[in-house]
Amino acid sequence: MPEFHSEPYIYLPAVSHKSALIAWGAFYFRTNSKGKWKIVDDDDLKYVHPPRKDSIGAQSAPYGPARVEVYDASGKVASCATTEVANHCWVAGLQPDTEYTYKIFVKGQEWASGERWDWSPKEHALVQSGARYDNRFRTNPDPTIAAASVSFGVIGDFGVGVRKDTPTRRQQQVANALRRMVDTEGVRFLLTTGDNVYARVRVFGVAVGGTGDEDDDWFFTYFQPYRYVINRIPVYPSIGNHDADETEERDDRAQVEDNFYLHERIKSEEAAGRASFGPGLFYRFRYGSDRYVEGGVLQNRPAVRVSQALGVHRTIVSGGRPASVVADSVRASSCL
């Protein structure tokens, strides 16, 4: 009789100069006496206890009453938020350009505390290797004050994930490089240039399975490799052809919006005419008084533009290799 293991996950979909959106969820694995591990498909979540239909994302069913606490440098609670209807909370009342730590409590128990279980391509199973969540983030600068500088990462064409590790499948190495940049270079956010999830199953070259339209499709390609990054910095996506039905059997855009909390993050901007979901995704956010970032789809191609008054002279992670971005006095752009 197989047993089920539930592995909790945490991430930080959005940060502003005074608030943060903090989210949580889980993925389920079936194990047996032979030590085999297999991720549970969304369609089979009805067999876990208690039964579910989804496991992570903005629209996922709540795991129970939850409380999010954010702490300042002294360890004092700086802000707190609660929910009984979702697996995310907006935490407000924070100070600009300030580092905070945070914890999530669900049904009175801390979520994802202690040593975690992570996927090992070598063992083809979840293993414990001493990794723990370091839940901390830094708010954006005051929007009325010019930001001295900004460091950020850019990735695209994510690949098929970390189920296996081969010379042509190096996504975990990209994630590890990005994690080091967050620690050493103060990377504040991550931009994607599209194709956030690729199909895992193909028949005669046509994508028919694991395309990204279910939560479990995102485990090996996003939530596991970037696990210890996305709990610290937000990710701003663009939509690529692999995120829609252009090159795959199903349109994954709804799942992209759900997992990246796009509606929750930019609905007020859409109402003000500064963002749109259709027919193409477009949004922008400000970093300090002199920089803003735009993301979306232009002429059916993903596009990201970073504009600023002073310029950006930092190193970003692009395709696993360092790439220099040098801005002129007006703007720096990248359209892929």
Side-chain angles (χ1 to χ4, degrees):
M1 187 70 179
E3 297 181 355
F4 294 99
H5 171 81
S6 173
E7 183 62 20
Y9 281 72
I10 295 173
Y11 60 122
L12 186 75
V15 174
S16 74
H17 67 287
K18 61 181 180 181
S19 63
L21 176 59
I22 296 171
W24 56 95
F27 289 94
Y28 291 81
F29 284 79
R30 182 184 287 111
T31 63
N32 60 29
S33 58
K34 297 181 179 180
K36 301 281 187 179
W37 291 71
K38 183 179 180 181
I39 192 167
V40 176
D41 188 271
D42 282 17
D43 292 337
D44 293 328
L45 288 174
K46 57 191 175 186
Y47 300 117
V48 306
H49 181 76
R52 299 186 61 85
K53 294 182 179 180
D54 44 35
S55 61
I56 203 164
Q59 303 302 315
S60 60
Y63 285 92
R67 183 178 79 258
V68 177
E69 295 182 353
V70 174
Y71 311 95
D72 62 20
S74 69
K76 181 181 177 181
V77 175
S79 185
C80 180
T82 62
T83 181
E84 295 186 3
V85 299
N87 294 319
H88 62 271
C89 276
W90 279 102
V91 183
L94 306 179
Q95 297 300 310
D97 205 16
T98 302
E99 185 168 277
Y100 294 95
T101 59
Y102 66 95
K103 293 181 180 180
I104 301 164
F105 300 89
V106 178
K107 296 182 178 178
Q109 300 295 316
E110 185 178 351
W111 191 261
S113 63
E115 186 178 4
R116 303 311 328 142
W117 292 77
D118 292 297
W119 181 258
S120 168
K122 181 179 180 180
E123 302 293 335
H124 298 288
L126 294 182
V127 300
Q128 288 186 304
S129 57
R132 298 169 181 264
Y133 271 115
D134 177 15
N135 294 324
R136 55 191 170 96
F137 65 89
R138 193 174 191 90
T139 50
N140 290 348
D142 189 323
T144 65
I145 300 175
S149 64
V150 58
S151 298
F152 58 92
V154 180
I155 59 175
D157 294 302
F158 277 42
V160 295
V162 296
R163 186 188 293 269
K164 298 179 180 179
D165 184 14
T166 71
T168 59
R169 296 186 177 188
R170 310 289 285 174
Q171 192 169 349
Q172 188 60 62
Q173 284 71 19
V174 173
N176 293 343
L178 178 61
R179 185 179 179 183
R180 288 194 297 271
M181 298 293 281
V182 172
D183 286 330
T184 62
E185 297 294 329
V187 167
R188 302 294 287 271
F189 54 84
L190 179 64
L191 305 176
T192 87
T193 58
D195 293 347
N196 303 287
V197 62
Y198 275 74
R200 182 169 44 84
V201 180
R202 291 179 177 269
V203 176
F204 300 115
V206 179
V208 297
T211 65
D213 64 328
E214 295 183 350
D215 288 338
D216 62 282
D217 297 339
W218 288 72
F219 175 80
F220 292 106
T221 61
Y222 182 69
F223 285 102
Q224 177 56 54
Y226 305 103
R227 181 177 194 174
Y228 302 109
V229 172
I230 60 178
N231 68 312
R232 294 177 55 187
I233 62 172
V235 179
Y236 295 90
S238 298
I239 304 295
N241 60 304
H242 285 273
D243 302 316
D245 59 1
E246 181 179 339
T247 56
E248 298 185 358
E249 182 187 49
R250 297 184 181 180
D251 191 337
D252 309 330
R253 176 167 164 157
Q255 197 71 32
V256 172
E257 294 175 358
D258 183 66
N259 285 338
F260 286 112
Y261 282 77
L262 291 184
H263 284 276
E264 289 71 20
R265 293 159 68 174
I266 67 177
K267 59 185 176 183
S268 61
E269 295 296 300
E270 183 181 33
R274 294 188 293 267
S276 68
F277 283 101
L281 171 68
F282 174 81
Y283 60 89
R284 70 167 56 175
F285 66 93
R286 181 175 292 277
Y287 188 90
S289 65
D290 59 341
R291 294 180 173 85
Y292 66 85
V293 179
E294 298 175 342
V297 177
L298 301 177
Q299 297 178 339
N300 296 321
R301 304 188 70 183
V304 173
R305 182 172 66 183
V306 182
S307 302
Q308 63 285 309
L310 299 178
V312 180
H313 304 274
R314 281 295 188 123
T315 299
I316 62 175
V317 173
S318 178
R321 295 173 297 179
S324 177
V325 173
V326 180
D328 59 23
S329 60
V330 180
R331 64 179 47 172
S333 302
S334 175
C335 295
L336 305 178

